[in-house]
Amino acid sequence: DTDPVTCDDEGYWRGDFTVTGDASIAALAGCRYIQGSLVIMGTPLEDLAGLESIATIAEALQIAGNPNLVSLAGLSGLVEVEGDLQVLGNAALPSLAGLSGLVAVGGSISVGDNAALASLDGIEELRFVDGSFGGQSSPCTIEIGEKDMNSYVVFNYDATPPGTSWFSPAVVVLGTTTYDDNAPDQKL
């Protein structure tokens, strides 16, 4: 069996997919579900336009080593990553705003080595992480939600005292949360 050149009629890409540039993104036009991992690594891309229809990735999403990447907006339709989410080594990436629709990650989240990333703003809709959260080692803040007084979460890398965290029933995080790559893990 060989992989199809495009998604099937049901909107599924059956297997893993590696983005190498604009031409490979075109193969995912209309895909809603990736039945494997989506890897965007070492590309010359500045944005991920053309991936807006993807709602679910059955395994991991890896966005790594893309020196020109300045926007994740093409992933605005993504709701769930059933495996790990990695955003690593994208020197020009200033925000995670393109992941604004992401609600659940079934594995761990790793965000690091993104020199231009000043905050984790953009993942405010995230409500479930079944793994660990490893963050930027530089000062970084994310506020998730504020639906009511019982659903407010703050990750603050530059002001959170060691051993302190704020979590609520609105966000379920299973595992370990790391606020600083150079600090000890902070257990929930």
Side-chain angles (χ1 to χ4, degrees), residues 43-106:
T43 72
L45 296 171
E46 292 181 7
D47 62 53
L48 302 177
L51 299 177
E52 293 84 0
S53 62
I54 298 172
T56 303
I57 298 172
E59 293 180 19
L61 171 58
Q62 183 178 24
I63 304 167
N66 301 288
N68 304 321
L69 191 63
V70 295
S71 173
L72 301 178
L75 294 172
S76 60
L78 187 62
V79 175
E80 181 178 18
V81 175
E82 295 175 4
D84 294 340
L85 169 63
Q86 298 177 338
V87 182
L88 304 167
N90 303 289
L93 187 65
S95 81
L96 301 178
L99 297 174
S100 60
L102 187 62
V103 174
V105 174

Side-chain angles (χ1 to χ4, degrees), residues 88 111-113 133-138 157 178-185:
L88 304 167
V111 178
D113 217 13
F133 189 101
Q136 293 281 110
S137 57
S138 59
Y157 297 108
T178 305
Y179 293 97
D180 186 324
D181 291 338
N182 300 316
D185 285 352

Side-chain angles (χ1 to χ4, degrees), residues 154-176:
V154 177
F155 297 101
N156 191 328
Y157 297 108
D158 58 349
T160 302
T164 304
S165 62
W166 295 272
F167 289 93
S168 74
V171 178
V172 179
V173 180
L174 306 173
T176 302

